[in-house]
Amino acid sequence: MAAGTTSAGLQTRIEDVLAHLPISSTTEYSQGQTIYGPDHVSKSIYLVVSGKVLISQIAAEGSEVLLEIVRPDELFGESAFLDVPQRPEQAAALERATLMTWAISDMEELVMKRPRLAVALLQVLAQRNAEFSRRIESFSLDTIERRLARSLMRFSERLGTPEEDGSVRMMPLTHEMLSRYVGTSREIVTQYMNRFRKQGYVSYSRHGIVLYRDVLKTVFERIAVPSAEKSN
């Protein structure tokens, strides 16, 4: 299934969830502020009202893998359903963000009273698990170049705005952020981003990224996957 189709399907599932959720209180977070993390375990489910949120996995030695950038009208924090004292997930505001919050205890009561809410939540979780499975497969099979191209296309579908010339404009994504999503070093991401720019697939600055997605999709299919190249 294409990433765009997955994104649209996930949005439909989230809309189903929101149709069964009551309005709740909101909280504002400043850019870079941690919402929850291994040292401050979440006990809530969150909805992004405005802004964007980074969801990361923190390894025991402190390294960080970027899992997702959550946009407005999307939910996150479902790991709160796991009744464990420590969880490696972390959420932080990528930019100033307003979040609506439901305590996990309230959610548990709601799903008991509203079976359709439980079904919609399960559909959201299943769709996200499918996306994570695709990423794990990409980590196993794709070269770094293919992973980066795949990631740029996915972010453009989720976060981009189509332009008249067929390109897609999206928010600035630092090479450090991309490296945490792709699973490599910032230096290697910079190397490939420079190559993509020279080849005319992408242009970028601190103000944003312009991706020539159709061209990159065509080239993506031709990028070789040599067995000798390691994923890092």
Side-chain angles (χ1 to χ4, degrees), residues 33-106:
Q33 184 176 355
T34 298
I35 299 161
Y36 61 79
D39 297 326
H40 179 58
V41 176
S42 170
K43 295 182 180 180
S44 301
I45 298 292
Y46 302 85
L47 170 73
V48 180
V49 178
S50 64
K52 295 181 181 66
V53 173
L54 297 175
I55 308 297
S56 301
Q57 192 86 356
I58 309 299
E61 76 279 5
S63 62
E64 181 179 346
V65 175
L66 177 60
L67 299 178
E68 187 61 279
I69 299 177
V70 187
R71 58 190 178 179
D73 296 327
E74 290 188 345
L75 296 163
F76 68 96
E78 59 270 16
S79 61
F81 282 112
L82 299 174
D83 187 17
V84 293
Q86 287 187 322
R87 294 190 294 271
E89 187 174 285
Q90 175 176 286
L94 175 59
E95 56 194 33
R96 187 176 182 85
T98 301
L99 307 180
M100 190 173 289
T101 308
W102 295 268
I104 199 68
S105 56
D106 293 338

Coordinates of all heavy atoms in Angstrom, one line a residue, residues 33-106:
Q33 N 9.8 21.6 24.1 CA 9.4 21.1 25.4 C 9.0 19.7 25.4 O 8.3 19.2 24.5 CB 8.2 22.0 25.9 CG 7.8 21.6 27.3 CD 6.7 22.5 27.9 OE1 6.3 23.5 27.2 NE2 6.2 22.2 29.0
T34 N 9.5 18.9 26.3 CA 9.2 17.5 26.4 C 7.8 17.3 27.0 O 7.4 17.9 28.0 CB 10.2 16.7 27.3 OG1 11.5 16.8 26.7 CG2 9.8 15.3 27.5
I35 N 7.0 16.5 26.4 CA 5.6 16.2 26.8 C 5.6 15.0 27.8 O 4.9 15.1 28.8 CB 4.7 16.0 25.6 CG1 4.7 17.3 24.7 CG2 3.2 15.6 26.0 CD1 4.2 17.0 23.3
Y36 N 6.3 14.0 27.4 CA 6.5 12.9 28.3 C 7.8 12.2 27.8 O 8.3 12.4 26.7 CB 5.3 11.9 28.3 CG 4.9 11.3 27.0 CD1 5.6 10.2 26.5 CD2 3.8 11.7 26.3 CE1 5.2 9.6 25.3 CE2 3.4 11.1 25.1 CZ 4.2 10.1 24.6 OH 3.8 9.5 23.4
G37 N 8.3 11.3 28.6 CA 9.5 10.6 28.3 C 9.8 9.5 29.3 O 9.0 9.2 30.2
P38 N 10.9 8.8 29.1 CA 11.3 7.7 30.0 C 11.3 8.1 31.5 O 10.9 7.3 32.4 CB 12.7 7.2 29.6 CG 12.7 7.6 28.1 CD 11.9 8.9 28.0
D39 N 11.6 9.3 31.8 CA 11.7 9.8 33.2 C 10.4 10.4 33.6 O 10.2 10.8 34.8 CB 12.8 10.8 33.3 CG 14.2 10.2 33.1 OD1 14.3 9.0 33.4 OD2 15.0 10.9 32.6
H40 N 9.4 10.6 32.7 CA 8.1 11.2 33.0 C 7.1 10.4 32.2 O 6.7 10.9 31.1 CB 8.1 12.7 32.7 CG 6.8 13.3 33.0 ND1 6.2 13.3 34.2 CD2 5.9 14.0 32.1 CE1 5.0 14.0 34.1 NE2 4.9 14.4 32.9
V41 N 6.7 9.3 32.7 CA 5.8 8.4 31.9 C 4.4 9.0 31.7 O 3.8 9.5 32.6 CB 5.7 7.0 32.6 CG1 4.7 6.1 31.8 CG2 7.1 6.3 32.7
S42 N 3.9 8.9 30.5 CA 2.6 9.4 30.2 C 1.5 8.6 30.7 O 1.6 7.3 30.7 CB 2.4 9.5 28.7 OG 1.1 9.9 28.3
K43 N 0.4 9.2 31.2 CA -0.8 8.5 31.6 C -2.0 9.1 30.9 O -3.1 9.0 31.4 CB -1.0 8.7 33.1 CG 0.1 8.0 34.0 CD -0.1 8.2 35.5 CE 1.0 7.6 36.3 NZ 0.8 7.7 37.8
S44 N -1.7 9.6 29.7 CA -2.8 10.2 28.9 C -2.7 9.9 27.4 O -1.6 9.4 26.9 CB -2.7 11.7 29.1 OG -2.9 12.1 30.4
I45 N -3.8 10.1 26.7 CA -3.8 10.1 25.2 C -3.9 11.5 24.8 O -4.6 12.3 25.4 CB -5.0 9.3 24.7 CG1 -4.9 7.8 25.1 CG2 -5.1 9.4 23.2 CD1 -3.8 7.1 24.5
Y46 N -3.2 11.9 23.7 CA -3.2 13.3 23.3 C -3.7 13.4 21.9 O -3.5 12.6 21.0 CB -1.7 13.8 23.3 CG -1.1 13.7 24.7 CD1 -0.4 12.5 25.1 CD2 -1.0 14.8 25.6 CE1 0.2 12.4 26.3 CE2 -0.4 14.7 26.8 CZ 0.2 13.5 27.2 OH 0.8 13.4 28.4
L47 N -4.3 14.6 21.6 CA -4.7 15.0 20.3 C -4.0 16.3 20.0 O -4.0 17.3 20.8 CB -6.2 15.2 20.2 CG -6.7 15.9 18.9 CD1 -6.6 14.9 17.7 CD2 -8.1 16.4 19.1
V48 N -3.3 16.4 18.8 CA -2.6 17.6 18.4 C -3.7 18.6 17.8 O -4.3 18.3 16.8 CB -1.5 17.4 17.4 CG1 -0.9 18.7 17.0 CG2 -0.5 16.4 17.9
V49 N -3.9 19.7 18.5 CA -4.9 20.7 18.0 C -4.2 21.6 17.1 O -4.7 22.0 16.0 CB -5.5 21.5 19.2 CG1 -6.4 22.6 18.7 CG2 -6.2 20.5 20.2
S50 N -3.0 22.1 17.4 CA -2.1 22.9 16.5 C -0.7 22.6 16.8 O -0.3 22.1 17.9 CB -2.4 24.4 16.8 OG -2.0 24.8 18.1
G51 N 0.2 22.9 15.8 CA 1.6 22.6 15.9 C 1.9 21.1 15.5 O 1.1 20.4 14.9
K52 N 3.1 20.7 15.8 CA 3.5 19.3 15.5 C 4.4 18.8 16.6 O 5.0 19.5 17.4 CB 4.4 19.3 14.2 CG 3.6 19.7 13.0 CD 4.4 19.7 11.7 CE 3.6 20.1 10.5 NZ 3.2 21.6 10.6
V53 N 4.3 17.4 16.8 CA 5.0 16.8 17.9 C 5.9 15.7 17.4 O 5.5 14.9 16.4 CB 3.9 16.2 18.9 CG1 4.6 15.3 19.9 CG2 3.1 17.3 19.5
L54 N 7.1 15.5 17.9 CA 8.0 14.5 17.6 C 7.8 13.3 18.5 O 7.9 13.5 19.7 CB 9.5 15.0 17.6 CG 9.9 16.1 16.7 CD1 11.3 16.5 17.0 CD2 9.8 15.6 15.3
I55 N 7.7 12.1 18.0 CA 7.6 10.9 18.8 C 8.9 10.1 18.5 O 9.2 9.8 17.4 CB 6.4 10.0 18.4 CG1 5.1 10.8 18.5 CG2 6.3 8.8 19.4 CD1 4.8 11.4 19.8
S56 N 9.6 9.8 19.6 CA 10.9 9.1 19.5 C 11.0 7.9 20.4 O 10.3 7.8 21.4 CB 12.1 10.1 19.8 OG 12.1 11.2 19.0
Q57 N 11.9 7.0 20.1 CA 12.2 5.9 20.9 C 13.6 6.1 21.5 O 14.6 6.3 20.7 CB 12.2 4.6 20.1 CG 12.2 3.3 20.9 CD 10.8 2.9 21.4 OE1 9.9 3.5 21.1 NE2 10.8 1.7 22.0
I58 N 13.7 6.0 22.8 CA 15.0 6.3 23.4 C 15.6 4.9 23.8 O 15.0 4.2 24.6 CB 14.9 7.2 24.6 CG1 14.1 8.5 24.3 CG2 16.3 7.6 25.2 CD1 14.7 9.3 23.2
A59 N 16.8 4.6 23.3 CA 17.5 3.4 23.7 C 18.1 3.5 25.0 O 18.3 4.6 25.6 CB 18.5 3.0 22.6
A60 N 18.5 2.3 25.6 CA 19.1 2.3 26.9 C 20.4 3.2 27.0 O 20.6 3.8 28.1 CB 19.4 0.9 27.3
E61 N 21.2 3.2 25.9 CA 22.4 4.0 26.0 C 22.2 5.4 25.6 O 23.1 6.2 25.6 CB 23.4 3.4 25.0 CG 23.2 3.7 23.5 CD 22.2 2.7 22.9 OE1 21.6 1.9 23.6 OE2 22.0 2.8 21.7
G62 N 20.9 5.8 25.4 CA 20.6 7.2 25.2 C 20.4 7.6 23.7 O 20.0 8.8 23.4
S63 N 20.7 6.7 22.8 CA 20.5 7.1 21.4 C 19.0 7.2 21.1 O 18.1 6.6 21.8 CB 21.1 6.1 20.4 OG 20.5 4.8 20.6
E64 N 18.6 8.0 20.1 CA 17.2 8.3 19.8 C 16.9 8.0 18.3 O 17.6 8.3 17.4 CB 17.0 9.8 20.1 CG 15.6 10.3 19.8 CD 15.4 11.7 20.1 OE1 16.3 12.3 20.8 OE2 14.4 12.3 19.7
V65 N 15.8 7.3 18.2 CA 15.2 7.0 16.8 C 13.9 7.8 16.7 O 13.0 7.6 17.5 CB 15.0 5.5 16.6 CG1 14.3 5.3 15.3 CG2 16.3 4.7 16.7
L66 N 13.8 8.6 15.7 CA 12.6 9.3 15.4 C 11.5 8.4 14.8 O 11.8 7.8 13.8 CB 12.8 10.5 14.5 CG 11.6 11.3 14.1 CD1 10.9 11.9 15.3 CD2 12.1 12.4 13.1
L67 N 10.4 8.2 15.5 CA 9.3 7.3 15.0 C 8.4 8.0 14.1 O 7.9 7.5 13.1 CB 8.6 6.7 16.2 CG 9.4 5.9 17.1 CD1 8.5 5.4 18.3 CD2 10.0 4.7 16.4
E68 N 8.0 9.3 14.5 CA 6.9 9.9 13.7 C 6.9 11.4 14.0 O 7.3 11.9 15.1 CB 5.5 9.3 14.1 CG 4.4 9.8 13.2 CD 4.5 9.5 11.8 OE1 5.3 10.3 11.1 OE2 3.9 8.5 11.3
I69 N 6.4 12.2 13.1 CA 6.0 13.6 13.3 C 4.5 13.7 13.3 O 3.9 13.4 12.2 CB 6.6 14.5 12.2 CG1 8.2 14.4 12.3 CG2 6.2 16.0 12.5 CD1 8.9 15.3 11.2
V70 N 3.9 14.0 14.4 CA 2.5 14.0 14.5 C 1.9 15.4 14.2 O 2.4 16.4 14.8 CB 2.0 13.5 16.0 CG1 0.5 13.4 16.0 CG2 2.7 12.3 16.4
R71 N 1.0 15.4 13.3 CA 0.4 16.7 12.8 C -0.9 17.0 13.5 O -1.5 16.1 14.2 CB 0.3 16.7 11.3 CG -0.5 15.5 10.8 CD -0.5 15.3 9.3 NE -1.3 14.2 8.9 CZ -1.4 13.8 7.7 NH1 -0.8 14.4 6.7 NH2 -2.2 12.8 7.4
P72 N -1.5 18.2 13.2 CA -2.8 18.5 13.8 C -3.9 17.5 13.5 O -3.9 17.0 12.4 CB -3.1 19.9 13.2 CG -1.7 20.5 13.0 CD -0.9 19.4 12.6
D73 N -4.8 17.3 14.4 CA -5.9 16.4 14.3 C -5.5 14.9 14.3 O -6.2 14.0 13.8 CB -6.7 16.7 13.0 CG -7.4 18.0 13.1 OD1 -7.8 18.4 14.2 OD2 -7.6 18.6 12.0
E74 N -4.3 14.6 14.8 CA -3.8 13.3 15.0 C -3.6 13.0 16.5 O -3.2 13.9 17.2 CB -2.5 13.0 14.2 CG -2.8 13.0 12.7 CD -1.5 12.5 11.9 OE1 -0.4 12.5 12.5 OE2 -1.7 12.2 10.7
L75 N -3.8 11.7 16.8 CA -3.6 11.2 18.2 C -2.2 10.7 18.4 O -1.6 10.2 17.4 CB -4.6 10.2 18.5 CG -6.1 10.6 18.5 CD1 -7.0 9.3 18.4 CD2 -6.4 11.4 19.7
F76 N -1.7 10.7 19.6 CA -0.5 10.0 20.0 C -0.6 9.7 21.5 O -1.5 10.1 22.2 CB 0.7 10.8 19.6 CG 0.9 12.0 20.5 CD1 1.8 12.0 21.6 CD2 0.4 13.2 20.1 CE1 2.0 13.2 22.3 CE2 0.6 14.4 20.8 CZ 1.4 14.3 22.0
G77 N 0.4 8.9 22.0 CA 0.4 8.5 23.4 C -0.3 7.2 23.7 O -0.5 6.9 24.9
E78 N -0.6 6.4 22.7 CA -1.3 5.1 23.0 C -0.5 4.2 23.8 O -1.0 3.2 24.4 CB -1.7 4.5 21.7 CG -0.6 4.1 20.7 CD -0.3 5.2 19.8 OE1 -0.7 6.4 20.0 OE2 0.3 4.9 18.8
S79 N 0.8 4.4 23.9 CA 1.7 3.5 24.8 C 1.2 3.6 26.3 O 1.6 2.8 27.1 CB 3.1 3.9 24.6 OG 3.4 5.2 25.1
A80 N 0.4 4.6 26.6 CA 0.0 4.8 28.0 C -0.9 3.6 28.4 O -1.2 3.4 29.6 CB -0.8 6.1 28.2
F81 N -1.5 2.9 27.4 CA -2.3 1.8 27.7 C -1.5 0.6 28.3 O -2.0 -0.3 28.9 CB -3.0 1.2 26.4 CG -4.2 2.1 26.0 CD1 -4.2 2.8 24.9 CD2 -5.4 2.1 26.8 CE1 -5.4 3.6 24.5 CE2 -6.5 2.8 26.5 CZ -6.5 3.6 25.3
L82 N -0.2 0.7 28.1 CA 0.7 -0.3 28.7 C 1.0 0.0 30.1 O 1.6 1.1 30.4 CB 2.1 -0.4 27.9 CG 2.0 -0.7 26.4 CD1 3.3 -0.6 25.8 CD2 1.4 -2.1 26.2
D83 N 0.6 -0.8 31.0 CA 0.7 -0.6 32.5 C 2.1 -1.1 32.9 O 2.2 -2.1 33.6 CB -0.4 -1.3 33.2 CG -0.4 -0.9 34.7 OD1 0.2 0.1 35.1 OD2 -1.0 -1.6 35.5
V84 N 3.1 -0.3 32.5 CA 4.5 -0.6 32.9 C 5.1 0.6 33.5 O 4.8 1.7 33.2 CB 5.3 -1.1 31.7 CG1 4.8 -2.5 31.2 CG2 5.3 -0.1 30.6
P85 N 6.1 0.5 34.5 CA 6.7 1.6 35.2 C 7.5 2.5 34.3 O 7.7 3.7 34.5 CB 7.5 1.0 36.3 CG 7.8 -0.4 35.8 CD 6.6 -0.8 35.0
Q86 N 8.2 1.9 33.3 CA 9.0 2.6 32.4 C 8.8 2.3 30.9 O 8.5 1.1 30.6 CB 10.5 2.4 32.7 CG 11.0 3.0 34.0 CD 12.5 2.8 34.2 OE1 13.1 1.8 33.8 NE2 13.1 3.8 34.7
R87 N 8.8 3.3 30.1 CA 8.6 3.1 28.6 C 9.6 4.0 27.9 O 9.9 5.1 28.3 CB 7.2 3.5 28.2 CG 6.1 2.6 28.8 CD 4.7 2.9 28.1 NE 4.2 4.2 28.5 CZ 3.5 4.5 29.5 NH1 3.2 3.6 30.4 NH2 3.1 5.7 29.7
P88 N 10.2 3.5 26.8 CA 11.3 4.2 26.2 C 10.8 5.3 25.2 O 11.6 5.9 24.6 CB 12.0 3.1 25.4 CG 11.0 2.1 25.1 CD 10.0 2.1 26.3
E89 N 9.5 5.5 25.1 CA 9.0 6.5 24.2 C 9.1 7.9 24.7 O 8.9 8.1 25.9 CB 7.5 6.2 23.9 CG 6.9 7.0 22.7 CD 5.5 6.6 22.4 OE1 5.4 5.5 21.7 OE2 4.5 7.2 22.8
Q90 N 9.3 8.8 23.9 CA 9.4 10.2 24.2 C 8.6 11.1 23.2 O 8.6 10.8 22.0 CB 10.8 10.7 24.3 CG 11.0 12.2 24.5 CD 12.5 12.6 24.7 OE1 13.1 12.3 25.7 NE2 13.0 13.2 23.7
A91 N 7.9 12.1 23.7 CA 7.2 13.0 22.9 C 7.7 14.4 23.2 O 7.8 14.8 24.4 CB 5.7 12.9 23.1
A92 N 7.9 15.2 22.2 CA 8.4 16.6 22.4 C 7.8 17.5 21.3 O 7.6 17.1 20.2 CB 9.9 16.7 22.4
A93 N 7.5 18.7 21.6 CA 6.9 19.7 20.7 C 8.0 20.1 19.7 O 9.0 20.7 20.0 CB 6.4 20.9 21.4
L94 N 7.7 19.8 18.4 CA 8.6 20.3 17.3 C 8.5 21.8 17.2 O 9.5 22.4 16.8 CB 8.2 19.6 16.0 CG 9.0 20.0 14.8 CD1 10.5 19.8 14.9 CD2 8.5 19.2 13.5
E95 N 7.3 22.3 17.4 CA 7.0 23.7 17.3 C 6.0 24.0 18.4 O 5.5 23.1 19.0 CB 6.5 24.1 15.9 CG 5.3 23.4 15.5 CD 5.0 23.5 14.0 OE1 6.0 23.7 13.2 OE2 3.8 23.5 13.6
R96 N 5.7 25.2 18.6 CA 4.7 25.5 19.6 C 3.4 24.7 19.3 O 2.9 24.8 18.2 CB 4.4 27.0 19.6 CG 3.4 27.5 20.8 CD 3.2 29.0 20.8 NE 2.4 29.4 21.9 CZ 2.8 29.6 23.1 NH1 4.1 29.5 23.4 NH2 2.0 30.0 24.1
A97 N 2.9 24.0 20.3 CA 1.8 23.1 20.1 C 0.7 23.2 21.2 O 1.0 23.5 22.3 CB 2.3 21.7 20.0
T98 N -0.5 23.0 20.7 CA -1.6 22.9 21.7 C -2.2 21.5 21.6 O -2.5 21.0 20.5 CB -2.7 23.9 21.3 OG1 -2.2 25.3 21.3 CG2 -3.9 23.8 22.3
L99 N -2.3 20.9 22.7 CA -2.7 19.5 22.8 C -4.0 19.3 23.6 O -4.1 20.0 24.7 CB -1.6 18.6 23.4 CG -0.2 18.7 22.8 CD1 0.7 17.7 23.5 CD2 -0.3 18.4 21.3
M100 N -4.9 18.5 23.2 CA -6.1 18.1 24.0 C -5.7 16.7 24.6 O -5.1 15.9 24.0 CB -7.3 18.0 23.1 CG -8.6 17.8 23.9 SD -10.1 17.9 22.8 CE -10.1 19.6 22.4
T101 N -6.1 16.6 25.9 CA -5.6 15.4 26.6 C -6.8 14.7 27.3 O -7.7 15.3 27.8 CB -4.7 15.9 27.7 OG1 -3.6 16.7 27.2 CG2 -4.0 14.7 28.5
W102 N -6.7 13.3 27.2 CA -7.6 12.5 28.0 C -6.8 11.5 28.9 O -5.9 10.8 28.4 CB -8.5 11.7 27.0 CG -9.4 12.4 26.2 CD1 -10.7 12.8 26.5 CD2 -9.2 13.0 24.9 NE1 -11.3 13.5 25.4 CE2 -10.3 13.6 24.4 CE3 -8.0 13.0 24.1 CZ2 -10.4 14.3 23.2 CZ3 -8.1 13.7 22.8 CH2 -9.3 14.3 22.4
A103 N -7.1 11.5 30.1 CA -6.5 10.6 31.0 C -6.8 9.1 30.6 O -7.9 8.8 30.1 CB -6.9 10.8 32.5
I104 N -5.8 8.3 30.7 CA -5.9 6.9 30.2 C -7.0 6.2 31.0 O -7.8 5.3 30.5 CB -4.6 6.1 30.3 CG1 -4.6 4.9 29.4 CG2 -4.3 5.7 31.8 CD1 -4.7 5.2 28.0
S105 N -7.2 6.5 32.3 CA -8.3 6.0 33.1 C -9.7 6.3 32.5 O -10.6 5.5 32.5 CB -8.2 6.4 34.5 OG -8.2 7.8 34.6
D106 N -9.8 7.6 32.0 CA -11.1 8.0 31.4 C -11.3 7.3 30.1 O -12.4 7.0 29.7 CB -11.0 9.5 31.2 CG -11.0 10.3 32.5 OD1 -11.5 9.8 33.5 OD2 -10.6 11.5 32.5

